[in-house]
């Protein structure tokens, strides 16, 4: 039988190796948690600038109040208080195409628009590339991922901050530049002005950091795991899960099936 | 209907608030991911020393190679490659009493031994408290959580590093001091020498950082989420899940039930 | 390497074997789904009477409206509509000690009370055994599992039906008889009259069918899986998940943490 | 606030209503578990013939030995033996596009090929419709869902049994007839002969029973829940999870990352 190849971790009686490093000697106390998470996926240590930008993305995605995921986590802890892992897992399972998918979808859209193209030289060239991409998407009847937000209609406050941090760290790469261009040109193509949302900007940034689009949702999940842990701790201190259940239950509008009875 | 109280996050059209801070202005680019995770649970920002110690714990717990959790994550991705969230959730679900429970169990044991006691003044007094606790546990036929390791029999390399970092940051608190004392005195009580394992040391440290024992397993899960993300990314690049399945399947030793057939 | 022993299923190029039977020839079209579920756990085919009683238990536990589990399933489908498996898993994860635990706890309590005892001969002897068990439980400050219901205060309609079906099939065994005796004598011990709930009766019946207590929660989960599938299908036809989220979100009472800001 | 409409379950102090029926009086002891599962999704009670065919599908899909799902369930129970719900959820999470998707994909493919077409009158007309569908699928570079099996290369024994039961019950509907036609004509289009697999046949049958394709995977998951319960019970009696872990761990081929170290 061939062995199972991995570059992540292994151990023997005297030492633990993670990412080719001695965990106790070289990583603990020397490498931050966000830094380790980057390294575990990228298989390389981030630079200081990359790390600051990457952690800004994780901080951006971690917590958004009583989302469907957070409610699911709290209801699950209500029914199974002994199983912290079940409560966290239940919340993560809502991180699918609709709520956490924007980050991945935006990254995929931007990467596809850039594939096989020369990098534009001027802002005007970026705008032209953005126009093409938005027009093509619209022609197929699809929305542009990363554009629009149901609450922050006049502008998502996270997006300019991510752009600024990327610029400060010299990491404003092609995905983010194209995303910004979409923000400039979409009104003329779509006939209305929408905000560039933060989840989409995170997707652009993660692509510029070199991550493949398939893994982008995973970072949103990792960030969300921290937020859900906050909800678990708060639910333990000051529970609302049972109240949510009772309020939903009381509002049940029972409608017997229309089909003939037995 | 009364409102659902939360101190985590909320938003309105113009801003997003997390932990009472303006997410975009005050947190993104200024607060690290590990720092945010501490804050989300503790409801207070850690000091620099607390943060270094806390991140050392998360780094310590993140990744240990092809554990049952990691294998479950990879097998789940094999069957449902479209669902990164399902693969991560499946791996976290193995983080229960046996594999991730040590951190929580050690914290609980140490907290119980300290409850209602004056803090010992000398190393000798710590040793006496440890002797009492280990004897009582043994008298009830229970093992001492945090003592022993199936691989690192001569000493877990993570434990002295955590003790050193705690000391460097002035955070060697009562739970860790009691844990260290257990390391010194258990041979005379139990008649054999066992290592203080890293998971137990993490539990002691997290208690000293002020976290309630109920939430300790949650930090192990958060750390593990980063490790599992590494496994998901590696499984996408260089899959082993299907091979694991085939090797297990081929080694099936089918034994029909003994009961009479239909 | 030793093989992995299993009596459940295996296959070769020409046939599929499940429980020692030829799946296609001997099981499909001849064995019902509930029957197969019994057999998969018990490693023996149920009699017709056992099967009727067993399926009554599964039907009893399958669906109870908008429970925390059902709400979690619907919220998860809202966020990840592409992942039916994630929605079902999220709902099952709430099936822990508080909501689905009664079946298991009741079975465990009854089995412990019967362990090492001769079977009582008369109703009076059953009552005496029940008195002892209830008194002992009360002396330790514990509730009696299976006693009490937050909605059906005057009597759970499922319990007498399970007793009747068990009697009709000649399967009113010691666990159920002890449970019935608890229903008769608890008012004199506890000073108030509580209903014998259906979940507890299911635990008694499953023990009488020969299942070990450790697996009882699993039957509640299997039954619940059918109910959750109903919720998934209804959520697809007539969604409420997003409304639940919006109503909870709107009722958020945001309270910034008390600790000093950054 | 508008109420949350549901036709599944509700209760008041004296009664429990499921599907418009009195649970205790009308369902328990009178309706089987498979029957209830059909009803919960279809919102109508199945006929006796429909029920037999439906249960044959569930029995067909329940258990296939040490699959990735079953291994994930066992590894999860190894790490978290206190959480039966977590072990079952972990196994279900592997029921995604690759392993359980065939049933849904086959149903979707057949439904699309039938949409807007008159029902063929003769076997020859069915063959012609099948030819069109297989050719179109091939032209787009896609495989035909339900065709081919990695073990049962010369024929999946489940398929003819499902066809026979459907015929016996007068339920050989358009999806199954088209599926059978694909079995006849695909060699001339594809240039090789592949078996019609059982999972695909199940998809055809479920569509003929009137279920929408979106819910098909859910039945595969329900069936699988019974099989996983069998694995959980067997793992409790005769564990293999830890051995699987150790064998995988020992076969680790550790390859440090190629990138430069710290």
């Amino acid at each position: 039988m061939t062995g199972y190849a991995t570059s992540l971790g292994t151990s023997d009686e005297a030492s633990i190796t993670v990412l080719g490093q001695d965990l106790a000697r070289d990583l603990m106390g020397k490498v931050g948690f966000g830094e380790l998470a980057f390294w575990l996926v990228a298989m390389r240590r981030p630079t200081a600038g990359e790390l600051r930008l990457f952690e800004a993305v994780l901080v951006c995605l971690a917590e958004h109040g009583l989302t469907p995921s957070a409610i699911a986590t709290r209801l699950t802890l209500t029914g199974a208080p002994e199983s912290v892992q079940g409560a966290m897992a239940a919340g993560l399972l809502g991180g699918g195409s609709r709520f956490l998918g924007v980050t991945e979808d935006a990254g995929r859209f931007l990467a596809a628009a850039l594939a096989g193209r020369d990098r534009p030289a001027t802002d005007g060239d970026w705008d032209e590339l953005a126009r093409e991409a938005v027009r093509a998407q619209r022609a197929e009847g699809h929305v542009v991922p990363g554009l629009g937000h149901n609450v922050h209609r006049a502008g998502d406050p996270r997006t300019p901050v991510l752009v600024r941090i990327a610029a400060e760290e010299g990491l404003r790469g092609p995905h983010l530049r194209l995303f910004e261009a979409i923000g400039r040109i979409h009104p003329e193509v779509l006939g209305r002005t929408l905000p560039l949302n933060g989840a989409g900007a995170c997707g652009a940034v993660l692509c510029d950091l070199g991550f493949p689009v398939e893994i982008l949702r995973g970072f949103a999940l990792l960030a969300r795991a921290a937020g859900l842990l906050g909800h678990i701790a708060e639910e333990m201190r000051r529970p609302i899960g049972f109240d949510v259940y009772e309020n939903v239950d009381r509002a049940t509008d029972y409608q017997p099936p229309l089909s003939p009875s037995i």
Side-chain angles (χ1 to χ4, degrees), chain A:
Chain A
M1 189 180 72
T2 327
Y4 302 116
T6 182
S7 304
L8 295 168
T10 191
S11 62
D12 57 28
E13 192 168 336
S15 73
I16 301 168
T17 300
V18 171
L19 295 162
Q21 313 297 316
D22 184 300
L23 172 66
R25 193 189 64 203
D26 298 332
L27 299 179
M28 288 169 61
K30 298 181 178 166
V31 168
F33 180 56
E35 194 171 4
L36 185 72
F38 184 110
W39 199 343
L40 283 162
V41 176
M43 290 287 120
R44 67 176 182 84
R45 194 175 184 178
T47 65
E50 287 173 329
L51 180 58
R52 182 170 170 243
L53 183 57
F54 176 69
E55 297 210 79
V57 167
L58 294 182
V59 167
C60 177
L61 296 171
E63 165 53 25
H64 300 92
L66 294 172
T67 58
S69 277
I71 305 168
T73 281
R74 286 171 176 260
L75 289 167
T76 303
L77 195 73
T78 301
E82 78 284 4
S83 175
V84 171
Q85 71 271 22
M88 188 180 280
L92 292 177
L93 289 170
S97 63
R98 199 174 309 168
F99 282 127
L100 292 193
V102 176
T103 297
E104 182 176 324
D105 294 345
R108 196 178 302 276
F109 173 74
L110 297 167
L114 290 165
R117 309 291 291 255
D118 292 331
R119 292 288 169 272
T122 68
D123 267 11
D125 294 345
W126 280 109
D127 286 2
E128 191 45 42
L129 183 58
R131 247 177 233 111
E132 269 183 57
V134 173
R135 275 186 196 132
Q137 190 78 347
R138 195 193 192 191
E140 291 180 23
H142 296 142
V143 300
V144 177
L147 209 50
H149 197 284
N150 61 334
V151 175
H152 308 298
R153 297 216 168 96
D156 186 323
R158 297 169 292 185
T159 303
V161 173
L162 282 171
V163 172
R164 176 176 53 73
I165 296 171
E168 285 169 4
E169 304 299 342
L171 293 164
R172 203 163 137 256
H175 299 83
L176 191 55
R177 294 203 62 178
L178 178 58
F179 192 63
E180 294 175 71
I182 289 170
R184 288 190 298 269
I185 60 84
H186 77 271
E188 66 183 78
V189 183
L190 303 180
R192 58 188 181 136
T193 303
L194 295 166
L196 290 173
N197 63 47
C202 288
V205 164
L206 291 170
C207 284
D208 280 340
L209 286 169
F211 294 108
V213 290
E214 298 81 41
I215 203 67
L216 263 49
R217 194 189 299 178
F219 290 118
L221 293 165
L222 176 63
R224 187 58 57 92
L228 293 174
L229 191 57
H231 283 278
I232 290 169
E234 192 176 70
E235 182 73 17
M236 288 172 170
R237 285 195 309 269
R238 193 170 55 182
I240 63 168
F242 202 81
D243 282 354
V244 168
Y245 157 51
E246 285 206 320
N247 285 326
V248 171
D249 187 51
R250 274 182 205 136
T252 296
D253 171 19
Y254 191 69
Q255 303 181 351
L258 296 177
S259 72
S261 121
I262 303 189

mmCIF file of all heavy atoms in Angstrom, chain A residues 113-126:
data_model
loop_
_atom_site.group_PDB
_atom_site.id
_atom_site.type_symbol
_atom_site.label_atom_id
_atom_site.label_comp_id
_atom_site.label_asym_id
_atom_site.label_seq_id
_atom_site.Cartn_x
_atom_site.Cartn_y
_atom_site.Cartn_z
ATOM 1 N N ALA A 113 -12.788 36.449 -15.517
ATOM 2 C CA ALA A 113 -12.672 37.627 -16.380
ATOM 3 C C ALA A 113 -11.214 37.968 -16.673
ATOM 4 O O ALA A 113 -10.891 38.536 -17.722
ATOM 5 C CB ALA A 113 -13.369 38.826 -15.736
ATOM 6 N N LEU A 114 -10.329 37.607 -15.749
ATOM 7 C CA LEU A 114 -8.898 37.905 -15.920
ATOM 8 C C LEU A 114 -8.162 36.822 -16.697
ATOM 9 O O LEU A 114 -7.072 37.068 -17.227
ATOM 10 C CB LEU A 114 -8.232 38.069 -14.548
ATOM 11 C CG LEU A 114 -8.603 39.306 -13.741
ATOM 12 C CD1 LEU A 114 -8.182 39.151 -12.282
ATOM 13 C CD2 LEU A 114 -7.958 40.552 -14.361
ATOM 14 N N ALA A 115 -8.746 35.636 -16.773
ATOM 15 C CA ALA A 115 -8.019 34.484 -17.327
ATOM 16 C C ALA A 115 -7.629 34.729 -18.777
ATOM 17 O O ALA A 115 -8.460 35.079 -19.615
ATOM 18 C CB ALA A 115 -8.884 33.228 -17.209
ATOM 19 N N GLY A 116 -6.372 34.527 -19.056
ATOM 20 C CA GLY A 116 -5.889 34.636 -20.423
ATOM 21 C C GLY A 116 -5.837 36.057 -20.960
ATOM 22 O O GLY A 116 -5.693 36.256 -22.173
ATOM 23 N N ARG A 117 -6.016 37.034 -20.117
ATOM 24 C CA ARG A 117 -5.962 38.440 -20.561
ATOM 25 C C ARG A 117 -4.676 39.111 -20.088
ATOM 26 O O ARG A 117 -4.174 38.806 -19.004
ATOM 27 C CB ARG A 117 -7.160 39.219 -19.984
ATOM 28 C CG ARG A 117 -8.498 38.568 -20.205
ATOM 29 C CD ARG A 117 -8.861 38.607 -21.687
ATOM 30 N NE ARG A 117 -9.126 39.958 -22.111
ATOM 31 C CZ ARG A 117 -10.335 40.442 -22.347
ATOM 32 N NH1 ARG A 117 -11.401 39.653 -22.196
ATOM 33 N NH2 ARG A 117 -10.499 41.688 -22.726
ATOM 34 N N ASP A 118 -4.169 40.041 -20.878
ATOM 35 C CA ASP A 118 -3.080 40.882 -20.391
ATOM 36 C C ASP A 118 -3.627 41.788 -19.304
ATOM 37 O O ASP A 118 -4.795 42.176 -19.323
ATOM 38 C CB ASP A 118 -2.531 41.759 -21.532
ATOM 39 C CG ASP A 118 -1.817 40.910 -22.575
ATOM 40 O OD1 ASP A 118 -1.276 39.846 -22.187
ATOM 41 O OD2 ASP A 118 -1.819 41.302 -23.758
ATOM 42 N N ARG A 119 -2.777 42.138 -18.368
ATOM 43 C CA ARG A 119 -3.197 43.069 -17.324
ATOM 44 C C ARG A 119 -3.376 44.454 -17.933
ATOM 45 O O ARG A 119 -2.452 44.949 -18.597
ATOM 46 C CB ARG A 119 -2.148 43.160 -16.210
ATOM 47 C CG ARG A 119 -1.996 41.924 -15.376
ATOM 48 C CD ARG A 119 -3.207 41.744 -14.447
ATOM 49 N NE ARG A 119 -3.161 40.398 -13.849
ATOM 50 C CZ ARG A 119 -3.696 39.325 -14.417
ATOM 51 N NH1 ARG A 119 -4.329 39.405 -15.549
ATOM 52 N NH2 ARG A 119 -3.619 38.152 -13.818
ATOM 53 N N PRO A 120 -4.511 45.077 -17.738
ATOM 54 C CA PRO A 120 -4.711 46.433 -18.247
ATOM 55 C C PRO A 120 -3.659 47.382 -17.675
ATOM 56 O O PRO A 120 -3.175 47.198 -16.551
ATOM 57 C CB PRO A 120 -6.107 46.803 -17.733
ATOM 58 C CG PRO A 120 -6.790 45.485 -17.526
ATOM 59 C CD PRO A 120 -5.719 44.547 -17.091
ATOM 60 N N ALA A 121 -3.336 48.419 -18.438
ATOM 61 C CA ALA A 121 -2.269 49.339 -18.013
ATOM 62 C C ALA A 121 -2.833 50.543 -17.269
ATOM 63 O O ALA A 121 -2.214 51.049 -16.345
ATOM 64 C CB ALA A 121 -1.471 49.798 -19.232
ATOM 65 N N THR A 122 -3.991 50.989 -17.670
ATOM 66 C CA THR A 122 -4.544 52.223 -17.094
ATOM 67 C C THR A 122 -5.904 51.952 -16.458
ATOM 68 O O THR A 122 -6.533 50.929 -16.714
ATOM 69 C CB THR A 122 -4.760 53.269 -18.195
ATOM 70 O OG1 THR A 122 -5.814 52.792 -19.053
ATOM 71 C CG2 THR A 122 -3.492 53.487 -18.999
ATOM 72 N N ASP A 123 -6.339 52.897 -15.647
ATOM 73 C CA ASP A 123 -7.679 52.784 -15.081
ATOM 74 C C ASP A 123 -8.730 52.652 -16.182
ATOM 75 O O ASP A 123 -9.693 51.888 -16.067
ATOM 76 C CB ASP A 123 -7.992 54.031 -14.225
ATOM 77 C CG ASP A 123 -7.626 53.809 -12.766
ATOM 78 O OD1 ASP A 123 -6.948 52.788 -12.470
ATOM 79 O OD2 ASP A 123 -8.017 54.625 -11.921
ATOM 80 N N GLY A 124 -8.508 53.372 -17.277
ATOM 81 C CA GLY A 124 -9.447 53.275 -18.393
ATOM 82 C C GLY A 124 -9.484 51.853 -18.958
ATOM 83 O O GLY A 124 -10.555 51.336 -19.298
ATOM 84 N N ASP A 125 -8.321 51.209 -19.041
ATOM 85 C CA ASP A 125 -8.286 49.827 -19.542
ATOM 86 C C ASP A 125 -8.985 48.880 -18.567
ATOM 87 O O ASP A 125 -9.679 47.947 -18.973
ATOM 88 C CB ASP A 125 -6.835 49.388 -19.758
ATOM 89 C CG ASP A 125 -6.152 50.177 -20.882
ATOM 90 O OD1 ASP A 125 -6.870 50.846 -21.663
ATOM 91 O OD2 ASP A 125 -4.914 50.145 -20.958
ATOM 92 N N TRP A 126 -8.772 49.098 -17.258
ATOM 93 C CA TRP A 126 -9.489 48.290 -16.270
ATOM 94 C C TRP A 126 -10.997 48.469 -16.439
ATOM 95 O O TRP A 126 -11.753 47.500 -16.383
ATOM 96 C CB TRP A 126 -9.087 48.697 -14.836
ATOM 97 C CG TRP A 126 -7.776 48.105 -14.400
ATOM 98 C CD1 TRP A 126 -6.599 48.764 -14.220
ATOM 99 C CD2 TRP A 126 -7.517 46.722 -14.094
ATOM 100 N NE1 TRP A 126 -5.612 47.885 -13.828
ATOM 101 C CE2 TRP A 126 -6.147 46.612 -13.738
ATOM 102 C CE3 TRP A 126 -8.281 45.559 -14.103
ATOM 103 C CZ2 TRP A 126 -5.542 45.413 -13.385
ATOM 104 C CZ3 TRP A 126 -7.685 44.345 -13.749
ATOM 105 C CH2 TRP A 126 -6.335 44.279 -13.407
#
